[in-house]
Every structure is written in C-alpha cells, then in structure tokens.
C-alpha cells in the first residue's frame, strides 16, 4: 500500500486474494489494511495538506497534474492490462478509459488557477466584501470494481485542483490497478502523502468513512452501501459525494431511427457486460414498434462474442466477481419462476469457464418485478412498453433511481420535451454512455448526492469563505460594529 510516499504492508501483516474472473482463479495477493492503516494514511494526507502541498500555488499544482496526465498516457496499456485481468472487463474498453483519463487531469489542471471567489457589492460603503474557495481538506475516496481507475480520476482530478489530499480505498475485488496507478505519483513529483492507497475490505471502508480526520468522502457504488457510508460520515458532519446506482431507461419512440436505436440499446446494456452505473437496463419501447425493435436487438444479442477479455475480438467479458455472478443468476432464476419470458440468454454460458452470463433480454414483465425495478449490474435488459409520450415519462420516472436516460426519436421537439421531464442527472438524445471531464455527472434520488466532473465537481471539494474588510478604521460603538 502507498502511505506517505512509502510502500508498506498492512500493519496486521494480513493479505487477501484477488481473482481473475476470466479463469476464476487467484492471480494477486494484496495487503489487507484495517483501521490502523487508515489512521496512518489520514495522518500522512493531513501532513501533506498542511505542509508542502498546501504551500503550492494553484499554478504549481496544475503543472504536477499535467505531468501526471502525461504519465498516465504513457502507461495506459499496462494500467489497462492490470485492470482487465483484475475485473474481467474488455481490455479494449479498459484501454480506452486509461487513454481518456489524462483528459481529466488536463482539464482540472487548467481549472486549478481559474476557480476563484468574487467581490460582492456591499450596501455599506465602509466594507469591501469578497469570497474565497478554500480546499476542504483530506478526501476519503472509496471506489468500485467496475472501472476503478477512471472513476478514481473523477474524484482525484477536481480534488487535486482544489488543493486537497486523498486517501483512497479501492474495492477489495479489484485493487491492483489502483496500486499500479499510484506508482506514477512519485514519478510525477508529487509531495509524499498527497495521494495514499489503503487496500482492504469492509473494515477499511468503514474506518475511512467514519474517520474524524477526513473532511469529505467521495464514494461510488450501490445505494445500499452508499447509505452506510453516509451514516458513518454523519457522525463527524463529513461532507459526501455519492455516485450510486441506476435503473436507467432507454426510451424508443416509433419515429426513431430503428438501426441507431437498436445499436444504442445494445451498447447501453451489453457494453461493459452491463457492469456500469449508467447501464440502460430498462428498454421502454412504444407498442407500435416493439416487435420490430425487439427482433433486431435480440438477433444481435445472440451473436455477441463472449471470451477472453484480452482478445480484441471479444465483445463481452465475464462478471467481475464471483458474488456478482451469483447475484445476477439469482435475479434471473427468480424472474423465470415469476413467469417472465426470456427472449435471449437467461443462463450462465455453457461454453466458458469463469463468471460468464449470456446477453439476456427479458419480456412479459411488470414494472414492479425485481428484474424491472432493482439494479442488476449485469447483462440483463428488461423490456416494458408504452403507448403515449406521457406514459413513457411516467414509466421512466417510476424508479427510486435517477442517474441516466436515453431518448430515441427523430423529433427534436419531442426529445427535448421528454428530456426535461425525465428525472435523471444525464439524458442523451439519440446517443448513450457518453461522458466528458467538463460535463457534470451524477444522479437524482437513490442515484446519489452531488456531481462529479465539470465546475460542479471542484466546487464540491472546497469551502466558501466570506471575508468582510472594514475600510475606514474608525472607532465604533462595540455594540454596533457594522
């Protein structure tokens, strides 16, 4: 683990295994950190925040971030290989993410010295009033197993730009790529303690969430775990950003470009094996075109190539973890028992070892069924129909989540109307699964609190301070000092 610039074992001496989900076997052992390791990392991060890192100008921080971005680009292939081996997602997807990640460092490096306060007009002539945005302090980041390094970057880049330091606890299922990523900080020239990594399980995550030395927790994961993180953080009034799950609708109207919509539906749910918070896991299709669209989507789903994530020809890899594989199969089995019709898939792949599930499409369901309302985080598409625009909006919003939505229509007016009425943090019209460092990302309801990316993100890593300067210096009545 990386603590205060040193590579260390867990103080307990314990380690835990990480499985390669493609073969279902252990490929790495990493330190099993606990509360005492979290303590050490927080002390290191606080020391850097109050010391060398805190003394740097915004311009100097930005230059270090630019160097880190360059190093990520130079090492993208290796980071992607480690990540794909650890979580089973396609190497080509992990490589695309690693190659895109530098843009977060470049964007926020540019923001670092441009995010300032403002002068506020005063009703009192003897006062000059201005605001400062000061770094909130030490950040505790808890990252998920599906895209560990990219989703770490969503938190790290704005935090560094704001002047914060960080302790990250990656998922115990996929810790390896974060450790490889951490090696770049010393090479980039960051002061020790600015970035710290403690690997471990639930105990380490809880210790980080409730630590009194942490000023903000940035978490990505399920809404169930997000509640626990928020409850732990509340003990110390620790600020939180929660980027949680989704049950996002892909809404297809009868006037949509059918080929484009079919491709968007397939990419929205079967890309990344459905293991993405923004997965378009609910297909809401207008009744008049349901059979035509479903035929196209099902035909393509049945040809999706499963296999070795490192093979560039593979289109869908395994589930990232054994528990996730078992969870998804349980949901599928209960849907079968409930009378759902499986248009494709619905079983573990008989042709592969590891944690493979076939691309699955489920029809003849109701909106209150588990498979239609709960986040699955796997390659499972639930199909619901509507007749009118109003019904489509009602179905789209009939969820506790509100992370993302797709709308497929050739009417710009309809697309805009529906986008404004759907309760989701991101809405794509005739597109799906597009993000950028300068565009806010986050959700409504159980999909989280706060936003990552864009200026909204850096605001979340600062405290706003108002400064009143009395200009005359005149002696005043102590009970009326204004």
């Amino acid at each position: 683990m990386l603590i205060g610039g040193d590579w260390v074992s867990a103080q307990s001496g314990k380690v835990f295994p990480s499985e390669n989900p493609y073969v279902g076997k252990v490929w790495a052992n990493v330190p099993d950190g606990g509360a005492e390791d979290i303590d050490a990392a927080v002390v290191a991060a606080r020391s850097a925040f109050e010391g060398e890192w805190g003394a740097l100008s915004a311009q100097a921080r930005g230059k270090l971030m630019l160097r880190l971005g360059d190093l990520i680009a130079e090492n993208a292939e290796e980071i992607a290989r480690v990540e794909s081996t650890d979580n089973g997602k396609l190497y080509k997807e992990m490589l695309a993410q690693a190659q895109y990640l530098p843009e977060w460092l470049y964007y926020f490096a540019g923001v670092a010295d441009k995010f300032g306060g403002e002068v506020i007009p005063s009703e009192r002539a003897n006062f000059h009033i201005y605001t400062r945005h000061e770094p909130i302090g030490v950040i505790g980041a808890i990252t998920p197993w599906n895209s560990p390094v990219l989703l770490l970057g969503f938190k790290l880049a704005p935090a560094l730009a704001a002047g914060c330091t960080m302790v990250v606890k990656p998922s115990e299922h996929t810790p390896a790529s974060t450790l490889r990523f951490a090696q770049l900080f010393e090479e980039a020239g960051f002061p020790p303690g600015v970035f710290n990594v403690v690997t471990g399980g639930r105990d380490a995550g809880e210790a980080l969430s409730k630590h009194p030395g942490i000023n903000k927790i940035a978490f990505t994961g399920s809404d169930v775990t997000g509640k626990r993180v928020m409850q732990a953080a509340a003990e110390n009034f620790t600020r939180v950003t929660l980027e949680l799950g989704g049950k996002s609708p892909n809404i297809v109207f009868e006037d949509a470009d059918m080929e484009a919509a079919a491709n968007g539906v397939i990419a929205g749910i079967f890309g990344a094996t459905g293991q993405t918070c923004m997965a378009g896991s609910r297909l809401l299709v207008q009744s008049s075109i349901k059979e035509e669209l479903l035929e196209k989507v099902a035909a393509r789903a049945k040809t999706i190539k499963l296999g070795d994530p490192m093979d560039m020809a593979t289109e869908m890899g395994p589930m990232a973890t054994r528990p996730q594989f078992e969870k998804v199969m349980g949901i599928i089995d209960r849907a079968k028992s409930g009378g759902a019709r499986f248009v494709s898939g619905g079983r573990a792949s008989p042709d592969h070892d590891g944690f493979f599930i076939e691309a699955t499409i489920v029809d003849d369901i109701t909106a209150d069924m588990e498979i239609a309302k709960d986040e699955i985080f796997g390659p499972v598409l639930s199909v619901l129909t509507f007749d009118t625009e109003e019904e489509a909006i009602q179905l789209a919003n009939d969820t506790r989540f509100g992370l993302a939505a797709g709308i497929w229509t050739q009417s710009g007016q309809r697309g805009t109307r529906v986008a404004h009425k759907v309760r989701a943090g991101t809405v794509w019209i005739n597109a799906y699964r597009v993000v950028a460092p300068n565009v806010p990302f986050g959700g409504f309801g159980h999909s989280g609190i706060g936003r990552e990316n864009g200026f909204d993100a850096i605001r979340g890593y600062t405290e706003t301070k108002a400064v009143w300067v009395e200009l005359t210096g005149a002696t005043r009545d102590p009970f009326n000092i204004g």
Side-chain angles (χ1 to χ4, degrees), residues 303-314:
T303 68
I304 290 174
K305 179 177 172 55
L306 279 62
D308 184 351
M310 301 302 292
D311 185 343
M312 298 298 278
T314 298

Side-chain angles (χ1 to χ4, degrees), residues 223-224 373-375 397-402 444-447:
D223 61 333
V224 173
K373 69 179 183 178
D374 290 343
E375 184 178 41
N397 291 337
D398 185 19
T399 174
R400 68 183 187 272
F401 298 107
F444 293 17
H446 281 228
S447 287

